[in-house]
Amino acid sequence: MATADDPLVLGIETSCDETGVGLVRGNTLLADAVASSVDEHARFGGVVPEVASRAHLEAMVPTIHRSCREAGVRLTDVDAVAVTSGPGLAGALLVGVAAAKALAFTLDKPLYGVNHLSAHVAVDQLEHGPLPERCVALLVSGGHSSLLLVDDVTIGVEPLGATVDDAAGEAFDKVARLLGLPFPGGPHIDRVAATGAVTIDFPRGLTARKDLERHRFDFSFSGLKTAVARWVEARERGGEAVPSADVAASFQEAVCDVLTRKAVDACVANGVSHLVIGGGVAANSRLRALAVERAARHRITVRVPRAGLCTDNGAMVAALGAEAVRRGRQPSSLDMAADSSQPITAVIA
Ligand code: KG4
Ligand code: ZN
């Protein structure tokens, strides 16, 4: 539980299409206001950077006010301001960074520019308490799929592996489009798959013995996506109905099988007994269930935040900011830049 002495941290997230403003005291979540421009991108089948930036501009001030109202605090109560400095869409990041600098400057409070990916890991503290000393993190979102070894989420994380082509969320979105489901496709595949069965044996990228030597902890989803497309095309050419629910379930199984197998292997290889899963795809029901089932066989504890905290939000940024304050990390300078390709090894800008 937070005490009145714990600093109140405001977190701003604008790296993609969600304008998120969260308020956290200690490890307690006080407010998590999110305004999404996802509907404006849906007809393009993907996020349009210019549209996202403009939407952030319009949503920023109202979302800050909404967050304060939800938490029952005034802006002047805020002790530190955290913001996603990268990675993400350059123009979108700039809106959040400019807003955070303005707030930190006028309130005369420290500013922490933080890494979006580390924030996806740190957010779990709001639900399950302090992170273990050492853990493996599986980060799966629309833009990233990585396995990381995390000792201190505010310092560095050691990359163990990552996707060599598409991110897991990107694969969900592309396959959803193929099946005529709306964007972003992940939640729709999840829903439709629940009504189908795993009847098709789609390929598991980078799991063959020859691939494991160099890519033990890497992922590849582009071959899977192509295999699904070919399978669907062949049915359509033959004039057969496409069993969408079975395709969705089989595709989802292929993704979750590889993600959980490699994540558990990474824990075992590093002698780690906690696996944290974060990012939008961590909301997937099959991924969560399979991870718990497989990890249990190795006495590994799985920590996944509730679905609403897995997708992009401001609370995760505030959570990482609060941890940076608690651990006495040096704040960022007011002339810090947004970095669209901020590496996972750089946690605080
Ligand atoms: O972390 P996030 O909100 O934004 C990025 O940083 O990319 O992740 C968005 C991604 C999208 O690709 C979306 O389709 C996917 O997360 N996603 C899901 C689910 N909910 C969101 N994928 C699979 N199953 C879900 N339930
Ligand atoms: Zn994200």
Side-chain angles (χ1 to χ4, degrees):
M1 264 321 275
T3 69
D5 292 342
D6 286 322
L8 177 67
V9 181
L10 180 135
I12 298 179
E13 155 62 35
T14 62
S15 69
C16 194
D17 57 344
E18 254 88 39
T19 312
V21 181
L23 279 157
V24 162
R25 193 187 286 285
N27 272 335
T28 302
L29 175 62
L30 302 181
D32 179 22
V34 177
S36 179
S37 61
V38 68
D39 293 345
E40 294 174 52
H41 308 286
R43 69 193 167 100
F44 300 104
V47 175
V48 184
E50 266 312 306
V51 174
S53 308
R54 188 164 290 274
H56 285 309
L57 265 179
E58 285 167 8
M60 182 54 65
V61 172
T63 311
I64 291 173
H65 287 311
R66 185 149 61 89
S67 192
C68 286
R69 263 199 318 276
E70 252 178 53
V73 302
R74 286 166 310 193
L75 262 180
T76 47
D77 298 331
V78 168
D79 297 302
V81 180
V83 60
T84 300
S85 50
L89 302 170
L93 288 167
L94 270 178
V95 178
V97 167
K101 285 180 179 177
L103 275 178
F105 179 73
T106 43
L107 296 171
D108 194 21
K109 298 293 173 185
L111 170 73
Y112 294 85
V114 302
N115 190 301
H116 180 82
L117 304 177
S118 310
H120 269 305
V121 179
V123 71
D124 190 61
Q125 302 208 137
L126 301 179
E127 287 231 299
H128 301 114
L131 285 173
E133 282 287 297
R134 192 159 225 235
C135 61
V136 164
L138 170 66
L139 262 189
V140 273
S141 69
H144 300 269
S145 298
S146 313
L147 274 169
L148 314 163
L149 188 58
V150 183
D151 281 317
D152 175 338
V153 74
T154 66
I155 301 188
V157 292
E158 186 188 323
L160 298 172
T163 180
V164 298
D165 41 54
D166 292 350
E170 205 179 338
F172 269 96
D173 296 339
K174 286 177 178 167
V175 167
R177 192 171 191 186
L178 209 78
L179 296 177
L181 297 169
F183 174 84
H188 297 284
I189 296 254
D190 200 346
R191 179 176 47 80
V192 172
T195 65
V198 179
T199 52
I200 313 154
D201 189 20
F202 285 128
R204 271 64 168 162
L206 298 182
T207 55
R209 188 180 294 254
K210 65 172 174 33
D211 294 324
L212 288 178
E213 274 169 35
R214 280 188 53 222
H215 295 290
R216 182 171 173 188
F217 301 126
D218 290 328
F219 303 108
S220 168
F221 297 110
S222 115
L224 168 61
K225 173 196 67 192
T226 308
V228 177
R230 295 246 164 84
W231 196 94
V232 170
E233 276 159 25
R235 291 296 166 298
E236 284 172 342
R237 233 181 297 121
E240 292 172 53
V242 175
S244 292
D246 291 353
V247 173
S250 305
F251 158 76
Q252 176 174 272
E253 191 66 18
V255 174
C256 298
D257 179 23
V258 179
L259 289 176
T260 54
R261 220 193 294 176
K262 294 204 176 204
V264 170
D265 185 29
C267 291
V268 173
N270 289 283
V272 169
S273 58
H274 286 87
L275 170 65
V276 179
I277 312 183
V281 181
N284 185 267
S285 59
R286 180 61 183 148
L287 178 65
R288 299 165 81 100
L290 195 57
V292 169
E293 183 188 314
R294 288 190 167 163
R297 286 187 216 143
H298 298 270
R299 296 180 187 280
I300 294 163
T301 305
V302 177
R303 295 176 44 141
V304 203
R306 68 181 137 89
L309 290 178
C310 289
T311 43
D312 290 348
N313 61 78
M316 66 192 219
V317 180
L320 181 51
E323 190 61 23
V325 173
R326 188 158 41 240
R327 291 181 181 257
R329 302 285 169 245
Q330 180 77 24
S332 310
S333 111
L334 268 184
D335 62 4
M336 140 199 123
D339 179 359
S340 60
S341 52
Q342 188 169 333
I344 183 64
T345 43
V347 178
I348 299 175

